[in-house]
Amino acid sequence: MPTIVKALGLKGNPFEHYVAEQEPNIAEYAVKPPYFEAIDSRARNTASFILFGDRGAGKSATRLTIFKELWKLKSAGEAVPLAVNLVDFSSVVSRSQLVNLSEATLVRDAAFYVVESVLTWLSSLEDDDRKVYLEAMNDEEKGLCYSVLRDFYLSRPDAARQRSAHEATALLNQAFTAKSQLWLSKQWSKVAGIIGIVAEILARKSGAEAEISGPIRDILTEQDPAGFDALLTIRNLVRFVEIFDFSGIVVLIDKVDETTATNNSANQSAALVHPLLARVQLMEAQGFCWMFFLWSAVRSIFEGSELPVRLDKLGHATVAWDNKFFKLMLDQRVRYFSENRFDLAGLFQGDVEQGKFLGEMVKVAMRSPREVIRIMDVIVREHDVMHAHLDIAPLLTWDAIEAGLDQYVKDRISSIFGDRLLSQIFRLNRTSFTNKDVQRVFRVGAQSARTRIQSWENAGIIKLVGTKQAEGGLGRPVNEYSIMDARIERVMVRQLITYEGDLEPEPEYLDFFAEAETPQKTREEKKEG
């Protein structure tokens, strides 16, 4: 089948990957996001920071860029903090519930990844360079290494350590340039063996107990789970990495809203990291910082009374992109894959107005860089299918753009919101509405309507836009809501999806409210039916 990629002689599809972790060459064409310099500076100085942003707004790309920048500086011999990714929350998530949630659990997780990162880095060095660190430690430093590895690394099952080490090795391989010949040859099974050997060396006690100094003996005692001290642990981790010439630790926390327990729930996402953020002392520990990359929907929760966070004491910002950024982002991708022969405009026929096209695409993508790239991929795919009968694929047309946008919204919304919420909102079939509208359509009481509205609002489908005069002009003004997700709005306006049959049953607690508040008239109508 002819494709536009082949027709234009591109070295690949510029829009094939939407996730930063899947793009090893992203540094060649990535556009640094707003606030990057401020975040980069804080990371180097181990000052905690929160970057809020919508899904796909580039938070993960920012995190990976910070991670790679710090490791490249380490390769060049500069004294920088140890950069560690904390993106796996399986220790606190069981099925769809948050369990064992505490600052201790999260700090222990961070400690595991700190130790793992040091081991992985040590294994990447040439033998002589590694010996400099392993043989130069005094007894106190050896005792510290022993306790840290015992309590936070070797305490995990071997299978879990091997799986995590593979991921850490892959990331470090992209970022750290000063690697040994073994690493350069990518003999990963042998690399894993070296990681195990290094761990064994560091986990050995140094001499008899009497030779372990008082402070280290205290560490061995105080790491008892019953008396776990998160702040003391952080201080000891900083001392641990300083042995290996790191200036401190930067823990990069991301993907909080991508677990089974937090997906589509701003409240659950906020709850997962709240134990850390609620304790200001953990954010201010010397030589240690937390960099949070969080869904923007959680910010209002932190500013409320249920899960309050002293944002006034923490550096924070909300990432936002203007249309110039999106054009620059796409231009640089196309230039890279076309080997600088042309930019984004070179993909389209002359009658496609770039400003109009870009505006519509950015709107449907909810101003998300990741979703803009995804849309472009769908447009290219739909275009190739539309012109499969030709010998050579032409440049992109408006028909391909519309077809691609329609296909994108149909494919994307189900994976984001799920059928229950979508069937409800499409049954409502209004781009703006009030509580009364919901009551009429679903034949429920005011409380059940409010519960549904709350679930749509929490999922990011709708937003409160203001008030309007009550029906009949009597009574107080009522809240008015509007569809805020442009993807759902496009499906609704263009009638791209139709839900037929019964709605998926509500959770039991919603059924309880519905039954408790169903008006008498509605109950009688149900009986007659």
Side-chain angles (χ1 to χ4, degrees):
M1 183 176 76
T3 66
I4 191 171
V5 169
K6 292 179 181 177
L8 293 175
L10 303 179
K11 59 182 179 181
N13 179 356
F15 319 110
E16 183 176 3
H17 298 294
Y18 328 130
V19 181
E21 289 89 342
Q22 297 175 353
E23 299 186 80
N25 299 316
I26 192 171
E28 301 291 333
Y29 47 81
V31 179
K32 288 185 177 179
Y35 309 111
F36 178 83
E37 297 302 331
I39 299 172
D40 184 51
S41 175
R42 285 177 174 270
R44 295 190 197 193
N45 294 305
T46 57
S48 295
F49 192 83
I50 307 173
L51 182 66
F52 295 104
D54 292 334
R55 287 170 169 172
K59 299 187 296 299
S60 293
T62 303
R63 169 179 59 84
L64 287 171
T65 303
I66 295 293
F67 177 83
K68 292 179 180 181
E69 290 280 337
L70 289 175
W71 277 107
K72 285 180 181 178
L73 291 172
K74 181 66 175 177
S75 296
E78 293 194 31
V80 293
L82 172 75
V84 177
N85 290 293
L86 177 49
V87 297
D88 179 4
F89 301 97
S90 56
S91 63
V92 296
V93 175
S94 176
R95 297 183 181 178
S96 61
Q97 299 293 322
L98 296 180
V99 296
N100 302 323
L101 189 60
S102 68
E103 69 177 42
T105 303
L106 296 170
V107 171
R108 282 185 177 279
D109 268 7
F112 169 81
Y113 292 112
V114 166
V115 177
E116 177 187 67
S117 295
V118 170
L119 294 176
T120 306
W121 166 72
L122 283 171
S123 75
S124 75
L125 303 178
E126 295 285 0
D127 291 345
D128 290 342
D129 294 330
R130 185 164 56 249
K131 287 180 180 178
V132 169
Y133 292 103
L134 298 180
E135 296 180 359
M137 290 186 290
N138 58 39
D139 284 348
E140 183 171 333
E141 290 171 337
K142 290 177 181 178
L144 176 60
C145 289
Y146 161 73
S147 63
V148 167
L149 262 75
R150 180 199 65 188
D151 294 322
F152 304 119
Y153 186 74
L154 298 176
S155 57
R156 292 208 175 185
D158 183 62
R161 281 186 275 125
Q162 288 186 16
R163 182 180 65 253
S164 183
H166 177 76
E167 296 169 358
T169 302
L171 269 179
L172 186 63
N173 189 50
Q174 293 180 19
F176 190 66
T177 56
K179 294 186 284 288
S180 68
Q181 290 300 313
L182 182 60
W183 269 65
L184 293 174
S185 65
K186 296 184 179 180
Q187 298 180 42
W188 301 124
S189 59
K190 293 183 179 180
V191 169
I194 293 179
I195 293 175
I197 293 171
V198 173
E200 183 181 345
I201 292 172
L202 293 179
R204 292 173 185 161
K205 275 189 182 180
S206 61
E209 282 290 327
E211 296 177 359
I212 298 176
S213 63
I216 298 304
R217 194 179 303 110
D218 292 340
I219 291 170
L220 297 180
T221 302
E222 293 182 86
Q223 290 304 326
D224 178 70
F228 182 80
D229 186 325
L231 196 55
L232 177 64
T233 296
I234 285 174
R235 290 170 181 160
N236 290 332
L237 289 171
V238 172
R239 293 172 59 204
F240 169 68
V241 301
E242 286 175 346
I243 295 172
F244 306 100
D245 292 336
F246 290 95
S247 61
I249 299 170
V250 177
V251 177
L252 306 164
I253 296 182
D254 193 10
K255 302 185 181 298
V256 171
D257 59 316
E258 296 183 19
T259 75
T260 54
T262 59
N263 191 32
N264 284 334
S265 174
N267 287 319
Q268 290 286 84
S269 299
L272 197 157
V273 293
H274 184 259
L276 292 177
L277 288 166
R279 189 175 176 189
V280 176
Q281 294 92 330
L282 296 181
M283 301 296 108
E284 298 176 344
Q286 187 172 0
F288 192 107
C289 78
W290 308 85
M291 309 291 288
F292 296 86
F293 300 85
L294 303 178
W295 184 18
S296 55
V298 308
R299 178 169 180 169
S300 60
I301 297 171
F302 291 152
E303 293 172 331
S305 59
E306 185 177 354
L307 296 173
V309 170
R310 292 295 303 273
L311 292 180
D312 59 311
K313 289 192 172 186
L314 292 171
H316 63 277
T318 300
V319 65
W321 311 103
D322 58 25
N323 284 9
K324 291 180 181 178
F325 162 80
F326 290 105
K327 187 175 189 311
L328 179 60
M329 178 187 74
L330 295 173
D331 280 342
Q332 290 197 182
R333 279 178 173 267
V334 176
R335 286 195 192 103
Y336 175 80
F337 283 90
S338 69
E339 298 179 312
N340 289 316
R341 289 182 289 121
F342 51 83
D343 57 20
L344 179 66
L347 301 180
F348 295 88
Q349 292 189 2
D351 62 340
V352 176
E353 185 182 335
Q354 292 295 299
K356 180 181 177 183
F357 156 67
L358 189 63
E360 181 63 21
M361 181 170 63
V362 169
K363 175 188 174 184
V364 172
M366 298 293 293
R367 309 198 67 81
S368 161
R370 180 173 64 204
E371 296 307 303
V372 164
I373 296 169
R374 190 191 300 269
I375 289 174
M376 282 300 306
D377 183 48
V378 177
I379 289 173
V380 167
R381 186 175 70 232
E382 291 299 308
H383 174 82
D384 289 342
V385 170
M386 290 170 64
H387 299 92
H389 61 286
L390 301 179
D391 293 332
I392 299 178
L395 296 177
L396 299 176
T397 65
W398 264 115
D399 287 342
I401 292 170
E402 294 289 0
L405 288 172
D406 286 348
Q407 191 61 47
Y408 161 78
V409 295
K410 288 191 294 183
D411 291 343
R412 192 75 183 106
I413 57 175
S414 292
S415 63
I416 297 173
F417 300 110
D419 286 340
R420 183 178 65 82
L421 291 178
L422 290 176
S423 63
Q424 290 177 353
I425 205 69
F426 289 134
R427 177 67 59 87
L428 182 64
N429 200 29
R430 288 172 170 81
T431 56
S432 63
F433 58 89
T434 67
N435 184 291
K436 281 288 187 185
D437 295 322
V438 177
Q439 291 181 54
R440 277 194 292 265
V441 171
F442 294 99
R443 299 166 68 87
V444 296
Q447 177 59 43
S448 288
R450 278 193 293 271
T451 302
R452 281 181 169 82
I453 290 171
Q454 180 61 50
S455 66
W456 303 337
E457 195 170 17
N458 194 37
I461 295 175
I462 65 170
K463 64 179 177 181
L464 177 66
V465 294
T467 59
K468 63 184 295 187
Q469 188 68 37
E471 293 182 10
L474 301 175
R476 293 179 299 177
V478 295
N479 288 339
E480 183 175 19
Y481 300 88
S482 180
I483 301 293
M484 67 173 293
D485 192 290
R487 294 163 293 197
I488 289 180
E489 182 182 19
R490 185 178 180 94
V491 171
M492 192 176 289
V493 170
R494 294 170 69 88
Q495 294 292 295
L496 299 176
I497 295 176
T498 302
Y499 276 84
E500 299 179 355
D502 296 332
L503 295 176
E504 185 176 330
E506 294 281 8
E508 290 183 5
Y509 69 91
L510 293 184
D511 287 337
F512 170 78
F513 282 127
E515 180 63 27
E517 301 216 2
T518 302
Q520 183 65 30
K521 181 178 179 182
T522 305
R523 290 188 184 130
E524 292 171 355
E525 289 172 347
K526 284 184 177 179
K527 289 180 181 179
E528 292 175 2

